[in-house]
Amino acid sequence: MISSIAQWHQVNSFAALPPDFYSRVRPQPLSDPQLLHVNTDVAALLDLSPQALHDPLFLRVFSGQEPLPGSEPLAAVYSGHQFGVWAGQLGDGRAHLLAEVTTSTGNHELQLKGSGMTPYSRMADGRAVVRSSVREYLAGEAMAGLGIPTTRALSLVVSNDPVYRETVETAAIITRVAPSFVRFGSFEHWHKAPRQLQWLTDYVIHRFYPECLDTTAGLPGAGKAYIVNWLAQVVKRTAQLIAHWQTAGFCHGVMNTDNMSILGLTLDYGPYGFIDAFQADHVCNHSDTRGRYAWNAQPAVAQWNLHRLASVFTTLDIPVEALQEALSGFEAAFLETYRGSMARKLGLRAWQPGDDDLYDGWWGLLHEQAADFTLAFRRLAQVPEQPDTFLALFPDHEPVHDWLDGYLQRTAHDNLPAAERVERMNGANPLYVLRNHLAQNAIQAAEQGNGSEIDTLLRLLRNPFTETDGHSAYAEPPPAGSRPVAVSCSS
Ligand code: AMP
Ligand code: MG
């Protein structure tokens, strides 16, 4: 534990790359910043004692007022494909990497988001509004609580500085924490620059995928086999991540290649959503009028994004066949995670051949009747003993009984003791997820300077599988007839 953030041991490995990869630029502070919330779980990961959080230096650094002692902030450059189209150079347009620190739990990069303009801001203001900052702050913890790889956030600082979006809102800065914020787009940026591409690749492999260096010679792409090995690992991690998203009912909303983490983390929370009433083609981002990033499109989009990443490596003279070989592992990795997760969620011992039909029937049932995603899984555990609350989620019971007949036969074949089945299912199917309307309540309070709703949500989302007394409303779908919260790219 340390009592001041000045005591962190810094390594700053990304900053040790040549200056081609970033611009040294200072954050622009908010006026009269207020520390609305500190995430004590992330503070603990970073070895911070309560004293460190109360030290005035904490607010000064994480509101962008002064650099973390001993570090030089930077904004990283990257490019990317946005909505399927090459967008050219992007970069941290409103984010500053403060430092990478070594703690008892490993290395963590600390990045401010909403901290002012950088050379990559293009026409925008470098700011983030309270609304989107609260959403990102909560989302990292919601995903972590579900066991899904994600960036997280340490602190949320708000101010009265105006920010102009569709209406006038106020500015906020969150401090994001991850081992690295390198994206697919960080590689795409160097698609015509072999030297820089090689440096970045070697940096990422040595630092985050050292196991890939351990390769047998003789694979295609002489001398570059470790890169092919590594790409296969990125493909695997990405496939596993998306499988987790699918079975959690999570839609990212903006799966542009610049929002895809090279470490397989959920990155850049914007117009994301956890599905309430299930529709397989659910689109959570209001700006995504064509549904490119619909729930049922996410696996194919991830594959498309991986193709964009892999194709960059032709610049290093890696043969296309070797790249295709690395890409070909997606489906198997996706299916393994997806099938395992569905088996746990449905209370089966393990996936067996033939179960895919059962899973497909389940999705069909939920889709046809727009059943609540989270509650349908959760309440299935109560069938067959007390089927009523489960059945209440479906307006038409006949097709539900048909599916349940097959399902109960399948569970009988497994022969798990009833109590064990229920326990397993309740450990895999959350009661509380970060539904948009819950986030909205926390945002409204935060805009009034009140962080207590954030506090309540974090408590529930950190233990989403355990029922907490007095909080039944947080497990409910949005009130019937209420207008869905519209979330878009504007943040
Ligand atoms: P996003 O859609 O949030 O992933 O952002 C796409 C790109 O636009 C990234 O390069 C961001 O840094 C940049 N960007 C988004 N919003 C802003 C903003 N308000 N000011 C500066 N750059 C921004
Ligand atoms: Mg982004």
Side-chain angles (χ1 to χ4, degrees), residues 293-314:
Y293 298 137
W295 177 83
N296 58 4
Q298 294 188 128
V301 168
Q303 268 186 303
W304 190 90
N305 289 343
L306 285 162
H307 272 81
R308 301 287 76 70
L309 173 67
S311 69
V312 169
F313 290 91
T314 54

Side-chain angles (χ1 to χ4, degrees), residues 117-138:
M117 295 212 282
T118 77
Y120 316 115
S121 301
R122 297 177 292 162
M123 306 301 283
D125 58 8
R127 290 302 182 197
V129 295
V130 171
R131 171 173 52 95
S132 65
S133 304
V134 170
R135 284 174 53 82
E136 178 149 14
Y137 188 78
L138 292 170

